Amino acid sequence: MTIGIDKIAFYTPNYVLDLVTLAKARGDEPDKYTIGIGQNRQTVVPNFEDVVTMGANAAIKIITADDREKIDLIIFATESGIDNSKSSALYMQTLLELSEFVRTIELKQACYAGTYGLMQARDYVATHPGRRVLVVASDIARYGLSTSGEVTQGAGAIAMIVSEAPKIVSINTDSVYMSRNASDFWRPVDRQEALVDGHLSTDIYKEMFLTLWQRYQLKTNQQLNDFAGFAFHLPYTKMGKKALDQIINEATLAHQQKLTHHLKASQKFNREVGNLYTGSVYLSLLSLLSYATDLKSGDKLAIFSYGSGAEAELYSVTLQNGFENHVPAKMTQQLLLKRQLVSVNQYETMFKSQLYDSHININSNAVKDTKLFQFLGWHNGERVYR
Ligand code: HMG
């Protein structure tokens, strides 16, 4: 049975900060942000959006009546969850009006959890032919004002429906993975901003990629020339280049050019949004499928998923017949184009306006006249959504 990603959609809030403007405000060289880090803009999150609203706003774009009948499991991957007990999948199930006869679960392991969710979804469909799984990866990457991580902030959600006979890619059973307890990035439960050793995290990412690439080759006998492209977890787009540079010489010269061209395609959306933790590698996949117009069915793509702390997985997907008709390239481009640019002052105000205190009954700045799901505020310790 062929199993994989049947549908995919992306959502990010409507506000965006230009990083040249931010660099100037922070007294940094703009080229450091746009070339050294490789980011152009980052999404700014208003206080009426969170991982639940972003996840639901992504998923609603792809769920049909048929999916509603066939989805048995909702997997919600996040490291910026809104409750220490209740799963974000439950809130989302309500907003999306999905059946009560489903399993709902939230997964956490930094940016890696979305990939684990996808693997669980594939295994579920393998043992339940005809059934489907909704996998959502939704996060807000938040480091703090004027920190070195600030330039790598961002937010958004990816929703995917996993089924048999998928329309976009099949997920191959060739994964290699590893876990190692490392102190490169973490967020204690009483903090809203991540603690990070940025340079250590970059080194561990590179090392785990190289280790897994070598392990993958031993396991599968595949060579770099067998892959039409890579989708990397992209905390910032330069990270993908740093990883690929370690192995690119293994390809023929012509193939090196192709991989470099496709790496650029895989970075385009991420450049405009910033890090979205769990969803980042799948936004990169969506970007690659949207911009690499020479890809064809049967091509194999490698996916490298990394989550600090640290855990990583490398596996491949195969493009399905007619995949290009099911990639929401235009819809995603339009979503990014129509965002409202904010000044550094507006960004800082929004950054400080998040409603983290559940003890106070308070309304968010939710806007009227929108069809989007929103967080309305706290009422008696409960989060209220519309
Ligand atoms: P930094 O110390 O501010 O920057 O931190 P830098 O001094 O290292 O400079 C960055 C790059 O810009 C360097 O290039 C400079 O040479 C270049 P590199 O040597 O790396 O190729 N540069 C310039 N280029 C052109 N013109 C100029 C110029 N000036 C400098 N004028 C850092 C950067 C990414 C470390 C920081 O932003 C950070 O800590 N970010 C957060 C952590 C992170 O993103 N880590 C990535 C790997 S870990 C991961 O992916 C997991 C994660 O997503 C979390 C999770 O799993 O949940 C983060």
Side-chain angles (χ1 to χ4, degrees), residues 233-245:
H233 165 56
L234 293 179
Y236 53 96
T237 67
K238 178 82 153 302
M239 192 70 245
K241 178 174 166 15
K242 283 174 187 277
L244 188 61
D245 278 354

Side-chain angles (χ1 to χ4, degrees), residues 29 31-32 35-37 79 110-111 143 148-149 151-152 185 196 198-199 201-202 205 233 235-236 238-239 242 275 277 306-308:
E29 283 277 322
D31 284 357
K32 174 177 172 184
I35 300 167
I37 302 278
E79 58 175 296
C111 302
Y143 291 92
S148 65
V151 61
T152 61
F185 171 108
V196 61
H199 293 282
S201 70
T202 300
Y205 179 120
H233 165 56
Y236 53 96
K238 178 82 153 302
M239 192 70 245
K242 283 174 187 277
N275 196 353
Y277 291 162
Y306 176 83
S308 281

Side-chain angles (χ1 to χ4, degrees), residues 220-240:
T220 64
N221 273 327
Q222 300 281 307
Q223 305 303 318
L224 195 47
N225 279 6
D226 296 322
F227 291 93
F230 278 71
F232 286 99
H233 165 56
L234 293 179
Y236 53 96
T237 67
K238 178 82 153 302
M239 192 70 245

Side-chain angles (χ1 to χ4, degrees), residues 217-278:
Q217 284 180 299
L218 279 179
K219 179 176 170 174
T220 64
N221 273 327
Q222 300 281 307
Q223 305 303 318
L224 195 47
N225 279 6
D226 296 322
F227 291 93
F230 278 71
F232 286 99
H233 165 56
L234 293 179
Y236 53 96
T237 67
K238 178 82 153 302
M239 192 70 245
K241 178 174 166 15
K242 283 174 187 277
L244 188 61
D245 278 354
Q246 298 180 106
I247 62 166
I248 195 141
N249 287 342
E250 295 174 19
T252 58
L253 276 180
H255 203 70
Q256 286 185 30
Q257 278 175 3
K258 183 174 177 168
L259 289 173
T260 304
H261 176 64
H262 286 173
L263 180 71
K264 288 202 174 103
S266 78
Q267 295 166 324
K268 276 185 174 271
F269 286 151
N270 302 66
R271 252 186 182 275
E272 304 301 317
V273 177
N275 196 353
L276 50 142
Y277 291 162
T278 47

Side-chain angles (χ1 to χ4, degrees), residues 127-139:
T127 49
H128 300 81
R131 307 306 293 171
R132 296 178 193 168
V133 180
L134 171 62
V135 179
V136 169
S138 180
D139 267 305

